Amino acid sequence: MTLSELTHSTGEWLRGVGSYSDVVISSRIRLARNLASMPFLSTATVEERTNIYQTLAKAIGEVSNGSNALLIDIENAEAIDRHLLVERHLISRQHAVAEGSRGVSISPTETLALMINEEDHLRIQALRSGLQLEDAWSEVNEVDDKIGKNLTYAFDQQFGFLTVCPTNVGTGIRVSVMVHLPALKLTKEIERVDRAARDMRLAVRGMYGEGTEAVGDLYQISNQTTLGRHEEEIIDDFSGKIIPRIAEYELTARDSLAKHRGAQVDDKIWRAYGALANARCISSEETLNLLSAIRMGIHMGRLDLIDIPKLNEIFLFTQPAHMQKRHGAPLTGEERAVKRADYIRKQMVA
Amino acid sequence: MTLSELTHSTGEWLRGVGSYSDVVISSRIRLARNLASMPFLSTATVEERTNIYQTLAKAIGEVSNGSNALLIDIENAEAIDRHLLVERHLISRQHAVAEGSRGVSISPTETLALMINEEDHLRIQALRSGLQLEDAWSEVNEVDDKIGKNLTYAFDQQFGFLTVCPTNVGTGIRVSVMVHLPALKLTKEIERVDRAARDMRLAVRGMYGEGTEAVGDLYQISNQTTLGRHEEEIIDDFSGKIIPRIAEYELTARDSLAKHRGAQVDDKIWRAYGALANARCISSEETLNLLSAIRMGIHMGRLDLIDIPKLNEIFLFTQPAHMQKRHGAPLTGEERAVKRADYIRKQMVA
């Protein structure tokens, strides 16, 4: 597998299946781990950092033996490739722009990504479309066990797994679910979600995680702390209570819009379609916002000229790094805007 | 002929023909006349006003004998019909909302409209599409002569025809040309037209004349004073200098847009098309603004999914009074917005 091949598929997490797939885009679980034998990255020397990278790359190679996983040396990767991985949610923004020895190993279906030397020595992430946290958890857990057999993690009897950031200490688990809440945004009830999330000590973030704004009505809901709770407890909370409740809020808001503001909501949905099908230059952000309205329209049964897999293709392939990678050469923002519009138009009529 | 019949045709002035029809929408000439035997309306009693109405209605009936003209008693007309006539440029806004005895006589093709008891006792107006002022002038002039044979106009050897407003004293002529200047608006050069117009003592107004804002990039250019100049001189100025110059400004701006900002201009044109072809509720003003971009697109050869006659139909029929008159019952603003969008969508795909 090569990086370029990635630009022709949408990856597992955008397949549009899984529970509550009309609201939940994707589920993600990641574990934070550090090697007991090495200092945290915050204090490690350049040499130690390289050493950690090599140790973990080797260990990952052993456990993923024969699976055709792709190990990418992020330190020496081109900027465009690093951004491509961010757009595909395979590495964090921080990992893309940081310095020093670091990397990521990606499984062929992109369900699994192992970041080396991000904030912690190792971050094991599993991605799924829709609400499939149990599935993601079993993949992450299995990989964690395998690596843990060959290497010794920094672990404390009282606190659990030790991590750079105190919020990750304990199980080191972060559960993140990306939800699409256009109706709650339209009805201005999105604050209810925000408040409810705060009450439950959850973080609500934009599409690309920490410090990013919500565009396209996409929100990442994740746990803030891990200390003192079992992984399964946290996951059950998300799967059984938190996400279903948010999804029900959203679905109720959609029903209410359909019932009381049908013309306005159709207007929003169809104008978004009209803009995407006719624009001659368009930014990535506007594209995400218009796709949001269309996604809602499809799930509300009010627009059927395009389906979810096609929409997800447009969603992913129109982002800056994907645009340039598929084009095969760097593009200015203006060139991208024109090429993006051309690409979208072709998709809309196809 | 009845008023309802009017709602099914676009009228002569929106035929889209005539010189410079890619910039000039329509040409209008009107003469202001008052009866020598009666006081100006500013001082006339109710009885005198009624008397003027009857005298002029009779005189108009005689000169338009056999032409199937329609005389409308505006005082007793329904609000919707009065607004319909404003939208068709057959009476002024002032005439629609004023009080007291007043009316209008309209020729079957709507090229000729004679307002009784507007600001002056009589206003004779001829409308043409494109730049056809000579044609409009000969029609107005002929009617003026015919009526002048049977009635005596207020006339002064030194000043010429006497009118309520001093700016009309003299020939009593007002020449108005409606121009479409989207490219000058986009390139922000519209101020050049404004400045040039001021230098030439011309007025630049919105689509519905005095006191109205320019919507849809439509401007009415008209002479401010008539005293001391021959009618033909004023008309020649408009036909030979003023309007061709403005039209050339606009055409140059369009060429420049095509050359240097092709993608942006296509974007504007096609997004306008996408919005009109997909909206589920839309205001009259937004419709005019979107149609403006499409009109420009057609004339620039950048959009051919719709032609000018169809565009002019949408332009006229989507205005509030036309919407309601064609619907056959009053509609709230919200109902109109939905019906307008429905109507436009049908036209766009037909």
Side-chain angles (χ1 to χ4, degrees):
Chain A
M1 188 172 72
T2 67
L3 254 186
S4 294
E5 284 172 45
L6 291 186
T7 64
H8 296 285
S9 70
T10 51
E12 165 68 23
W13 66 281
L14 277 176
R15 272 181 54 216
V17 297
S19 302
Y20 287 107
S21 67
D22 44 358
V23 174
V24 182
I25 305 290
S26 59
S27 303
R28 189 164 65 98
I29 292 187
R30 71 118 178 90
L31 292 177
R33 296 289 184 260
N34 289 276
L35 301 176
S37 57
M38 301 297 255
F40 280 163
L41 291 171
S42 42
T43 56
T45 64
V46 171
E47 268 185 5
E48 285 167 334
R49 193 182 173 105
T50 306
N51 202 340
I52 297 164
Y53 179 76
Q54 287 165 345
T55 306
L56 282 168
K58 183 163 169 276
I60 291 167
E62 281 162 12
V63 307
S64 61
N65 188 19
S67 78
N68 201 20
L70 179 66
L71 177 73
I72 301 156
D73 173 359
I74 299 289
E75 185 185 13
N76 296 306
E78 298 202 30
I80 182 99
D81 290 335
R82 288 184 267 127
H83 290 140
L84 184 84
L85 293 167
V86 173
E87 289 175 3
R88 298 184 79 82
H89 289 239
L90 296 170
I91 64 172
S92 64
R93 285 201 171 185
Q94 291 75 8
H95 203 46
V97 299
E99 292 189 347
S101 181
R102 65 200 193 281
V104 66
S105 166
I106 304 161
S107 69
T109 53
E110 297 175 70
T111 56
L112 190 69
L114 294 95
M115 281 191 285
I116 307 173
N117 289 350
E118 202 243 22
E119 190 177 270
D120 296 295
H121 296 164
L122 178 64
R123 290 200 158 180
I124 307 167
Q125 163 188 290
L127 261 179
R128 291 289 184 281
S129 68
L131 187 58
Q132 300 193 66
L133 287 168
E134 286 75 10
D135 230 52
W137 169 239
S138 67
E139 184 167 24
V140 159
N141 199 23
E142 191 189 326
V143 174
D144 179 44
D145 285 351
K146 281 186 187 166
I147 295 175
K149 267 181 200 153
N150 301 339
L151 296 169
T152 309
Y153 292 136
F155 185 81
D156 178 278
Q157 285 299 343
Q158 189 187 348
F159 293 118
F161 291 100
L162 300 177
T163 56
V164 173
C165 180
T167 58
N168 291 318
V169 168
T171 58
I173 196 172
R174 164 118 348 132
V175 175
S176 291
V177 178
M178 183 149 74
V179 288
H180 181 229
L181 309 177
L184 289 172
K185 184 78 182 296
L186 264 178
T187 58
K188 299 194 169 67
E189 292 171 284
I190 195 77
E191 287 155 30
R192 282 172 67 187
V193 176
D194 245 341
R195 268 200 306 276
R198 264 203 308 272
D199 290 349
M200 294 186 281
R201 291 220 235 149
L202 300 171
V204 181
R205 300 193 174 98
M207 185 165 64
Y208 293 112
E210 225 156 319
T212 64
E213 281 288 304
V215 286
D217 308 319
L218 293 168
Y219 301 84
Q220 289 213 50
I221 316 284
S222 55
N223 62 313
Q224 297 258 49
T225 54
T226 81
L227 191 63
R229 297 186 75 200
H230 278 290
E231 294 92 338
E232 280 85 358
E233 222 180 305
I234 296 173
I235 292 166
D236 283 354
D237 248 22
F238 268 82
S239 289
K241 281 198 302 194
I242 296 164
I243 301 303
R245 198 176 301 165
I246 292 173
E248 290 303 335
Y249 270 176
E250 168 66 19
L251 294 171
T252 304
R254 290 184 193 173
D255 285 347
S256 160
L257 281 177
K259 207 167 169 184
H260 305 296
R261 290 165 61 188
Q264 289 99 315
V265 85
D266 276 341
D267 192 52
K268 189 178 170 71
I269 292 164
W270 282 95
R271 280 178 185 246
Y273 179 83
L276 283 178
N278 289 284
R280 258 58 181 175
C281 32
I282 193 164
S283 72
S284 165
E285 185 169 337
E286 188 188 357
T287 302
L288 289 174
N289 286 329
L290 295 174
L291 288 174
S292 170
I294 296 178
R295 188 186 294 275
M296 178 177 72
I298 297 170
H299 288 309
M300 287 176 76
R302 303 180 90 94
L303 182 147
D304 60 2
L305 296 183
I306 178 172
D307 59 20
I308 292 291
K310 172 67 77 181
L311 183 139
N312 281 339
E313 247 181 74
I314 300 174
F315 173 81
L316 193 63
F317 293 170
T318 53
Q319 295 191 49
H322 276 78
M323 286 295 305
Q324 294 179 80
K325 192 79 185 170
R326 285 164 62 94
H327 178 66
L331 293 165
T332 66
E334 207 170 313
E335 288 168 339
R336 281 204 303 275
V338 171
K339 287 218 174 287
R340 182 179 290 116
D342 289 346
Y343 165 78
I344 295 170
R345 275 204 320 287
K346 276 189 206 110
Q347 300 304 308
M348 298 299 257
V349 294
Chain B
M1 187 172 72
T2 67
L3 254 186
S4 293
E5 285 172 44
L6 291 186
T7 62
H8 295 287
S9 69
T10 51
E12 164 67 23
W13 67 280
L14 276 177
R15 272 181 55 216
V17 296
S19 303
Y20 287 107
S21 66
D22 43 1
V23 174
V24 183
I25 305 289
S26 60
S27 303
R28 188 165 64 99
I29 291 187
R30 71 118 177 90
L31 292 176
R33 297 290 183 259
N34 288 277
L35 300 177
S37 57
M38 302 297 258
F40 279 162
L41 291 171
S42 42
T43 56
T45 64
V46 171
E47 268 187 3
E48 285 167 335
R49 191 180 174 108
T50 307
N51 202 340
I52 297 164
Y53 179 76
Q54 287 164 347
T55 305
L56 282 169
K58 186 162 166 277
I60 291 167
E62 281 162 11
V63 307
S64 62
N65 189 18
S67 78
N68 201 22
L70 179 66
L71 178 72
I72 300 155
D73 174 357
I74 299 291
E75 185 184 13
N76 296 306
E78 298 201 30
I80 181 101
D81 290 335
R82 288 183 269 128
H83 289 140
L84 185 83
L85 293 167
V86 173
E87 289 176 2
R88 298 185 78 83
H89 289 239
L90 296 170
I91 65 172
S92 63
R93 286 202 170 183
Q94 292 76 8
H95 204 47
V97 299
E99 292 191 347
S101 181
R102 66 199 192 281
V104 66
S105 167
I106 302 161
S107 69
T109 54
E110 297 176 70
T111 56
L112 191 68
L114 294 96
M115 279 192 283
I116 307 172
N117 290 349
E118 202 245 19
E119 189 177 89
D120 297 294
H121 296 164
L122 178 64
R123 290 198 158 181
I124 307 168
Q125 164 188 289
L127 259 181
R128 291 289 184 282
S129 68
L131 187 58
Q132 300 192 67
L133 287 167
E134 287 74 12
D135 230 53
W137 170 238
S138 68
E139 184 168 24
V140 159
N141 199 22
E142 190 190 327
V143 173
D144 180 44
D145 285 351
K146 280 185 186 167
I147 296 175
K149 266 181 199 153
N150 299 339
L151 295 169
T152 309
Y153 291 136
F155 186 82
D156 178 278
Q157 283 299 341
Q158 191 188 346
F159 292 118
F161 291 100
L162 301 177
T163 55
V164 172
C165 179
T167 59
N168 292 317
V169 168
T171 58
I173 197 173
R174 164 124 340 140
V175 175
S176 291
V177 178
M178 184 148 76
V179 287
H180 181 230
L181 309 177
L184 290 173
K185 185 78 181 298
L186 264 179
T187 58
K188 298 196 168 68
E189 292 172 286
I190 194 78
E191 286 155 28
R192 281 173 67 186
V193 176
D194 245 340
R195 269 200 305 275
R198 264 203 308 274
D199 291 348
M200 295 184 281
R201 291 221 235 149
L202 300 172
V204 180
R205 300 192 174 98
M207 184 166 64
Y208 293 111
E210 226 156 317
T212 64
E213 281 287 305
V215 286
D217 307 318
L218 293 167
Y219 300 84
Q220 289 213 49
I221 316 285
S222 55
N223 63 314
Q224 294 260 48
T225 54
T226 81
L227 191 63
R229 298 185 77 200
H230 278 289
E231 294 92 338
E232 281 85 357
E233 224 180 305
I234 297 172
I235 291 166
D236 284 354
D237 248 22
F238 269 81
S239 290
K241 282 199 301 196
I242 297 163
I243 301 303
R245 198 174 303 165
I246 292 173
E248 291 303 334
Y249 270 174
E250 169 66 19
L251 294 173
T252 303
R254 289 184 194 174
D255 285 346
S256 160
L257 281 178
K259 208 166 169 185
H260 306 294
R261 288 164 62 189
Q264 289 97 318
V265 84
D266 276 341
D267 192 53
K268 190 179 170 70
I269 292 164
W270 283 95
R271 279 178 186 246
Y273 179 83
L276 283 178
N278 289 285
R280 259 53 181 178
C281 31
I282 192 164
S283 73
S284 165
E285 185 169 335
E286 188 190 357
T287 302
L288 290 173
N289 287 330
L290 295 175
L291 288 174
S292 170
I294 296 178
R295 188 187 294 276
M296 177 176 73
I298 297 170
H299 287 309
M300 287 176 75
R302 303 180 91 93
L303 182 148
D304 60 1
L305 296 183
I306 177 172
D307 59 20
I308 293 290
K310 173 65 77 182
L311 182 138
N312 281 338
E313 246 181 73
I314 299 173
F315 174 80
L316 194 63
F317 293 170
T318 52
Q319 295 189 51
H322 276 79
M323 285 297 304
Q324 293 179 83
K325 191 80 184 171
R326 285 163 63 95
H327 179 66
L331 294 164
T332 65
E334 206 169 316
E335 288 168 339
R336 281 204 301 276
V338 171
K339 286 215 175 289
R340 182 178 291 116
D342 289 346
Y343 165 78
I344 295 170
R345 275 205 319 287
K346 276 190 205 111
Q347 300 302 308
M348 299 298 258
V349 294

